[in-house]
Amino acid sequence: MAKEKVHKDVVIVGAGMAGLTAALYCGRMNLDTLVLENALVGGQIANAVGIENFPGFISVSGSDLISTVQQQAENFGAVIDEFDSIEKVTLKENPKIIETEGKIYLADVVIIASGMNRRKLPLPEEKKFAGRGVHYCELCDGHMYQNKIIAVMGGGNAALDAANFLTKYAEKLYIIHRSEFRADEVTQNRVKKNPKIEIFLQTEIKKLFGDKKLESVEILDKKSGETKNLQVDGIFVNIGVVPNTELFKDELNLSQSGRIIAGEDCKTNIAGVFAAGDVREKEIRQLTTAAADGTAAALLAEKYLSKLKGDF
């Protein structure tokens, strides 16, 4: 059966802070707006325990902040389609073509806010235990480890936020990081005060063990050279990210890091295609700059559409 073709003024790829902010502004301007998200709305920020550097909030959880922006976008008419994977895009056409598992969307404007994917655990056993003890999304899979022993691999803010989140399920939780923490002091203090958490710094995971599912990990103390075996039921990996740009690499100009090259106006090398948030090549990546990108992309998208339709 042929897929249904649906026309939209704007299709936004990604429902993180940048994508949802763009959707909010596009909706307010009465643009027929669709947001496609292949995973959970909110992206990596959704599990943050306490955000204290977003204007207007003394402290707010990532899930509450994202939920508020999502509601704002939906109140203005934007439609958010969660867990709808994109199979193919053609951006140089007018309208642009975005094909998902169920439909083909014809869009006058595309705003790419696809963010980043977590870097895979660089061990040969990763494939064997993927989804059976090795995980990359604590929001998706954390509930599987009620009263279990969990390890978190990583030392940045995202890893420590994940650890704090997972203690709602874990009986015991290990944080394992190959060097010193990179997270800010507030986040570090939060995990250090959590009685469920034990921290291993200057420590590497060398091997995974188990039959049908993960049962334990071998860790190496880099200072002493000693190895030991830790019993764990699951490990959540947070050791960096890679740009989610695979779909666009044949049409858009990408930087050496794989991010989309676009200026502060968020315009890419293709007219009518904008890049916003962490997926855009830029020096500073914060929640506030993601929201700013979403705003700029939406406002300039509306100007592009007006010219396209001959409104001025």
Side-chain angles (χ1 to χ4, degrees):
M1 182 181 294
K3 294 180 181 178
E4 179 187 2
K5 293 185 177 180
V6 179
H7 181 269
K8 294 288 180 181
D9 291 331
V10 180
V11 169
I12 299 169
V13 181
M17 179 58 74
L20 291 176
T21 303
L24 188 166
Y25 273 83
C26 286
R28 287 185 79 243
M29 293 183 290
N30 290 327
L31 301 178
D32 187 3
T33 304
L34 172 70
V35 182
L36 295 174
E37 171 56 60
N38 67 355
L40 290 169
V41 169
Q44 295 187 67
I45 199 63
N47 73 307
V49 176
I51 298 169
E52 298 171 338
N53 59 353
F54 197 86
F57 297 92
I58 300 300
S59 181
V60 61
S61 70
S63 59
D64 284 347
L65 180 59
I66 286 296
S67 177
T68 298
V69 184
Q70 178 181 353
Q71 184 177 345
Q72 287 177 296
E74 290 175 333
N75 285 348
F76 285 115
V79 174
I80 299 171
D81 189 356
E82 196 174 16
F83 295 106
D84 195 1
S85 296
I86 298 173
E87 296 180 343
K88 183 180 178 182
V89 299
T90 305
L91 301 176
K92 292 180 180 177
E93 300 285 341
N94 281 314
K96 291 90 174 63
I97 302 169
I98 297 182
E99 183 174 349
T100 70
E101 293 176 348
K103 294 180 181 179
I104 296 175
Y105 293 100
L106 307 176
D108 295 321
V109 166
V110 173
I111 297 174
I112 301 169
S114 49
M116 317 286 273
N117 288 325
R118 289 190 181 174
R119 196 177 299 280
K120 298 291 186 183
L121 178 64
L123 291 175
E125 303 88 15
E126 192 274 343
K127 287 186 178 180
K128 175 182 177 180
F129 294 113
R132 294 187 293 273
V134 175
H135 303 273
Y136 297 89
C137 177
E138 57 278 358
L139 286 173
C140 310
D141 301 328
H143 67 280
M144 298 166 55
Y145 294 93
Q146 190 76 46
N147 299 321
K148 301 289 187 179
I149 301 174
I150 300 174
V152 170
M153 184 179 181
N157 276 81
L160 271 57
D161 281 337
N164 267 313
F165 174 81
L166 287 165
T167 56
K168 68 163 55 180
Y169 306 113
E171 176 185 305
K172 173 77 174 179
L173 187 140
Y174 302 111
I175 299 177
I176 303 168
H177 186 49
R178 63 181 181 179
S179 57
E180 300 298 323
F181 283 147
R182 305 184 312 276
D184 62 62
E185 189 173 347
V186 172
T187 303
Q188 288 190 43
N189 288 337
R190 192 176 288 127
V191 298
K192 289 174 181 177
K193 292 177 181 177
N194 193 317
K196 288 187 176 182
I197 294 176
E198 184 175 348
I199 297 168
F200 291 91
L201 297 178
Q202 299 292 335
T203 303
E204 292 184 356
I205 296 177
K206 303 300 290 184
K207 196 169 183 179
L208 311 179
F209 298 94
D211 184 13
K212 294 183 180 180
K213 60 183 182 65
L214 183 67
E215 296 174 5
S216 65
V217 298
E218 180 184 286
I219 61 172
L220 168 69
D221 185 319
K222 295 170 65 177
K223 289 184 176 180
S224 68
E226 295 180 358
T227 62
K228 65 185 296 186
N229 195 276
L230 285 181
Q231 178 188 345
V232 296
D233 298 293
I235 178 171
F236 287 78
V237 182
N238 207 314
I239 53 173
V241 292
V242 292
N244 191 9
T245 54
E246 182 67 23
L247 280 168
F248 318 110
K249 66 180 183 180
D250 293 332
E251 296 184 276
L252 294 179
N253 293 337
L254 304 182
S255 68
Q256 287 187 342
S257 67
R259 296 180 175 88
I260 298 171
I261 296 174
E264 293 300 316
D265 57 7
C266 298
K267 293 180 181 179
T268 70
N269 58 293
I270 299 176
V273 179
F274 300 83
D278 287 350
V279 77
R280 180 171 77 86
E281 183 60 49
K282 56 182 180 177
E283 186 173 356
I284 304 298
R285 298 182 184 90
Q286 294 287 309
L287 269 180
T288 47
T289 61
D293 276 6
T295 303
L299 292 173
L300 292 171
E302 191 277 335
K303 287 188 176 182
Y304 171 84
L305 280 168
S306 294
K307 289 181 180 179
L308 193 68
K309 296 175 181 179
D311 292 344
F312 66 86

